[in-house]
Amino acid sequence: ELQLLRFQLARKRLKALGQWILALIRYVNENIIYGDYLITTVVGSFGIDLKEPETLGEKIKSSIGLYDPYKIAIEEAVKLQLDCGIDIIGDGQPRGDMVGSFVKHIPGFSYEMNSSVIVSKIRAPQVDIMIKDLKFALNVLKREIKDRNMSEDEASKKGVKLMLTGPSTIVHSSRLESFYKERNPAIIDCAYALRREVESAEKAGAKYVQIDEPFLSTGMVDLKVAKEAIGILTDGIEMPMGMHVCGNLDGCFKEIAKFPIDILDCEFAGNNVNIGILESNADLLKGKKLGFGCVDSAVNAVDDKDEVKALVERGIAAVGKENMLLDPDCGLRKVDIPIAKEKLRILSDLAKEFN
């Protein structure tokens, strides 16, 4: 009985320690993300090609299954973003298709010939999906902070976020085959299946999670169901939670601004309608941060810095710089790497100027 009591006491202490650590992580993240200055981030992918083994050492590793081209791509992406002065970075999403990367690991989906099919009830995976890549990116970041001799203040602004394809986008990108008669129940089941990934990202020390939901602006999605699904992912999570929605916001902004998230990320450079929608409805974002896409990810050319600055100034006038994160409209996979670097440097330079 004494040993049992000691065990129970130790377990309570460990639980309390875990809660304290999570609270500390949230405090640090909130002070970075919710500071009174502009910070920079990215939205998604880069056009970094997977490299075949070249050196003798790499070829030996490949022959015994130890060569990992994805880790090499992630490390390159982390260094690229740091070189450009980005604060909150991603892993570069080297594993390709934003839907396939997840559904390949979620029971209930089949993925063949670059096509996702829902073949049975969607259930939670038994293993993490992208968390190993997140942890590897975090380790690269820690090493780079040390190797680059970053100041304590500069290092405190750095972090890695997880990009998570949202349940509405996954389900609307998939064909229904037999189990589900309509998409809405599948979206809710998919949200529960993805919940593990969010919890694991929080435990791993992610700065925040960005839920990618480009389908919300298409008019194809029941926004009430989409909101419920996002709530399943964010409820009870201590770290900040964000959602990225690209496209024309005219038919959805008033609704998505009410979603249970901390950061709403949208495109404003490649879609000249959205800035007016923001200016007319900025009050709906009270209590939230705005991810402000201000360089065009769809154009393989360097943006005009003066035009980007003018756009950012309109964003600041609408919501305040303390409520903004500067980023590209979307992922930069289709943009040549030298041009992608210049786009990111524009963000970094403007953040420094406005700060």
Side-chain angles (χ1 to χ4, degrees), residues 149-165:
N149 295 315
M150 288 188 192
S151 67
E152 185 176 344
D153 180 63
E154 184 182 6
S156 70
K157 297 176 183 177
K158 303 298 182 184
V160 182
K161 67 179 178 181
L162 174 73
M163 271 78 81
L164 176 72
T165 307

Side-chain angles (χ1 to χ4, degrees), residues 35 40-41 54 81 103 105 120 194-195 207 232 239 247 258 279 281 316 327 333 354:
T40 55
T41 186
E54 297 176 353
Q81 292 167 82
V103 301
H105 306 280
S120 63
L194 292 170
R195 170 76 185 198
K207 188 67 70 175
I232 291 168
M239 69 178 165
K258 302 173 186 175
E279 290 170 331
N281 299 279
I316 291 174
D327 57 14
R333 187 182 300 279
F354 284 112

Side-chain angles (χ1 to χ4, degrees), residues 133-159:
D133 288 350
L134 172 70
K135 289 179 177 179
F136 182 74
L138 279 165
N139 287 332
V140 174
L141 173 61
K142 290 175 184 176
R143 187 179 70 238
E144 288 297 310
I145 286 173
K146 181 179 179 182
D147 292 347
R148 295 171 188 241
N149 295 315
M150 288 188 192
S151 67
E152 185 176 344
D153 180 63
E154 184 182 6
S156 70
K157 297 176 183 177
K158 303 298 182 184

Side-chain angles (χ1 to χ4, degrees), residues 17-29:
L17 178 61
Q19 291 173 339
W20 180 83
I21 291 173
L22 286 176
L24 178 62
I25 290 172
R26 181 169 179 82
Y27 173 79
V28 172
N29 286 344

Side-chain angles (χ1 to χ4, degrees), residues 33-39 275 278-279 282-283 285-292 311-326 354-355:
I33 294 175
Y34 296 111
D36 59 355
Y37 45 80
L38 275 172
I39 59 175
I275 186 64
L278 172 67
E279 290 170 331
D283 59 312
L285 291 178
K286 187 176 181 181
K288 288 184 171 67
K289 278 274 195 175
L290 174 68
F292 193 80
L311 183 62
V312 172
E313 287 174 337
R314 290 180 69 178
I316 291 174
V319 300
K321 73 174 185 179
E322 71 279 4
N323 294 314
M324 289 173 61
L325 296 83
L326 299 186
F354 284 112
N355 284 333

Side-chain angles (χ1 to χ4, degrees), residues 114-342:
N114 295 320
S115 179
S116 175
V117 184
I118 301 174
V119 296
S120 63
K121 182 175 174 60
I122 300 170
R123 293 174 287 112
Q126 297 303 305
V127 295
D128 296 329
I129 301 173
M130 293 295 172
I131 304 304
K132 285 185 179 179
D133 288 350
L134 172 70
K135 289 179 177 179
F136 182 74
L138 279 165
N139 287 332
V140 174
L141 173 61
K142 290 175 184 176
R143 187 179 70 238
E144 288 297 310
I145 286 173
K146 181 179 179 182
D147 292 347
R148 295 171 188 241
N149 295 315
M150 288 188 192
S151 67
E152 185 176 344
D153 180 63
E154 184 182 6
S156 70
K157 297 176 183 177
K158 303 298 182 184
V160 182
K161 67 179 178 181
L162 174 73
M163 271 78 81
L164 176 72
T165 307
S168 293
T169 293
I170 286 179
V171 171
H172 278 274
S173 299
S174 304
R175 188 174 79 250
L176 301 182
E177 192 166 86
S178 58
F179 187 83
Y180 296 97
K181 302 303 180 185
E182 57 181 33
R183 296 187 185 277
N184 287 348
I187 289 171
I188 298 303
D189 284 349
C190 188
Y192 281 113
L194 292 170
R195 170 76 185 198
R196 174 194 173 113
E197 199 76 355
V198 174
E199 293 174 348
S200 295
E202 183 173 45
K203 291 176 183 176
K207 188 67 70 175
Y208 71 94
V209 169
Q210 171 190 294
I211 306 167
D212 291 323
E213 285 286 23
F215 264 78
L216 299 193
S217 65
T218 64
M220 299 169 59
V221 180
D222 183 330
L223 293 180
K224 289 183 179 179
V225 175
K227 182 180 180 181
E228 180 183 352
I230 294 299
I232 291 168
L233 292 173
T234 62
D235 183 46
I237 298 298
E238 292 296 320
M239 69 178 165
M241 294 290 294
M243 182 175 72
H244 170 70
V245 181
C246 49
N248 190 314
L249 303 175
D250 189 40
C252 68
F253 186 82
K254 291 181 179 180
E255 294 302 318
I256 63 176
K258 302 173 186 175
F259 277 34
I261 51 174
D262 302 296
I263 305 162
L264 177 60
D265 188 280
C266 305
E267 66 169 292
F268 295 94
N271 194 312
N272 57 12
V273 173
N274 289 347
I275 186 64
I277 295 171
L278 172 67
E279 290 170 331
S280 299
N281 299 279
D283 59 312
L284 297 178
L285 291 178
K286 187 176 181 181
K288 288 184 171 67
K289 278 274 195 175
L290 174 68
F292 193 80
C294 54
V295 294
D296 195 338
S297 57
V299 176
N300 192 27
V302 180
D303 305 66
D304 183 287
K305 187 174 181 180
D306 289 335
E307 292 181 1
V308 177
K309 181 178 179 180
L311 183 62
V312 172
E313 287 174 337
R314 290 180 69 178
I316 291 174
V319 300
K321 73 174 185 179
E322 71 279 4
N323 294 314
M324 289 173 61
L325 296 83
L326 299 186
D327 57 14
D329 275 349
C330 201
L332 296 170
R333 187 182 300 279
K334 297 180 180 179
V335 176
D336 294 341
I337 290 298
I339 294 175
K341 288 181 178 180
E342 290 303 312

